[in-house]
Amino acid sequence: DDDLIKLAREKGDDHRLAMSRRQSLSPPVTDVLIETGDERVAITLAANQGARFSDAGLSQLLDRAREDEELGAELETRTDIDPGRLSELLGIARDHVKRRLMRELPTYHGLTVDQILDDVVYAMQREEHLLLGRYEASLDVTRRRALAGELTETVVVSWIR
């Protein structure tokens, strides 16, 4: 990592771009690439599923994504973003959609873009909350059945069907 960090600090954006495509990148390396790289580097890092980010690095990417729709879109495809940060990413995506809609469709059936998006975001957040609740309830049932010695292959198969 030390060699990559040194190169990221000393070389230009073309080298940083090449580095951002590596199969695996640790948080210390991505921190430096985010700090020193241009938008191409940031977008490539966000698209690279082998790149891992520190909280500070992810914060910088989210800040940059507020003004860069392509970066925001790449961050949306990541599966490793902490659930606590997903609402922040959802807000960024909402702002991007809002700007696009404001340009193309300022009102729709008397509703403003803000009203439409507020309804959509509320529905998405509610669904996310319901799904999380079902998941946690399922885990609780599974744990209780396992602790009671009632978790057998037959039980699990019946749940799947």
Side-chain angles (χ1 to χ4, degrees):
D1 280 1
D2 290 340
D3 291 340
L4 290 176
I5 290 170
K6 183 179 180 197
L7 286 171
R9 290 195 187 284
E10 293 175 354
K11 298 292 182 178
D13 280 328
D14 287 339
H15 279 85
R16 291 183 195 107
L17 182 60
M19 291 171 65
S20 68
R21 292 184 178 124
R22 291 176 62 97
Q23 189 171 12
S24 176
L25 291 165
S26 69
V29 175
T30 59
D31 282 351
V32 173
L33 289 170
I34 293 165
E35 177 187 320
T36 60
D38 64 9
E39 68 280 345
R40 297 174 306 151
V41 173
I43 291 165
T44 303
L45 282 171
N48 181 347
Q49 294 296 321
R52 297 291 163 246
F53 305 112
S54 68
D55 284 341
L58 182 57
S59 290
Q60 284 185 293
L61 285 176
L62 288 169
D63 286 345
R64 290 171 74 168
R66 292 181 200 296
E67 300 303 321
D68 187 331
E69 288 189 33
E70 188 176 354
L71 177 57
E74 290 299 346
L75 287 170
E76 290 168 24
T77 67
R78 295 198 63 92
T79 58
D80 61 344
I81 293 183
D82 180 79
R85 304 301 289 271
L86 286 178
S87 60
E88 185 177 354
L89 186 57
L90 184 60
I92 292 168
R94 177 193 184 280
D95 290 344
H96 290 172
V97 170
K98 178 182 173 181
R99 282 194 296 257
R100 207 172 313 126
L101 287 175
M102 293 287 287
R103 286 190 306 263
E104 299 171 18
L105 184 72
T107 61
Y108 181 75
H109 294 289
L111 296 172
T112 66
V113 171
D114 275 334
Q115 291 168 320
I116 295 167
L117 289 175
D118 284 346
D119 290 347
V120 170
V121 169
Y122 174 76
M124 290 173 68
Q125 288 173 333
R126 187 168 177 267
E127 181 66 23
E128 179 184 335
H129 179 73
L130 291 173
L131 289 174
L132 182 59
R134 286 188 211 133
Y135 172 74
E136 289 172 350
S138 297
L139 279 179
D140 186 48
V141 168
T142 304
R143 284 187 190 114
R144 282 188 279 124
R145 299 280 303 258
L147 289 172
E150 301 170 354
L151 191 61
T152 65
E153 182 178 347
T154 305
V155 170
V156 173
V157 168
S158 73
W159 290 346
I160 294 171
R161 293 185 179 157

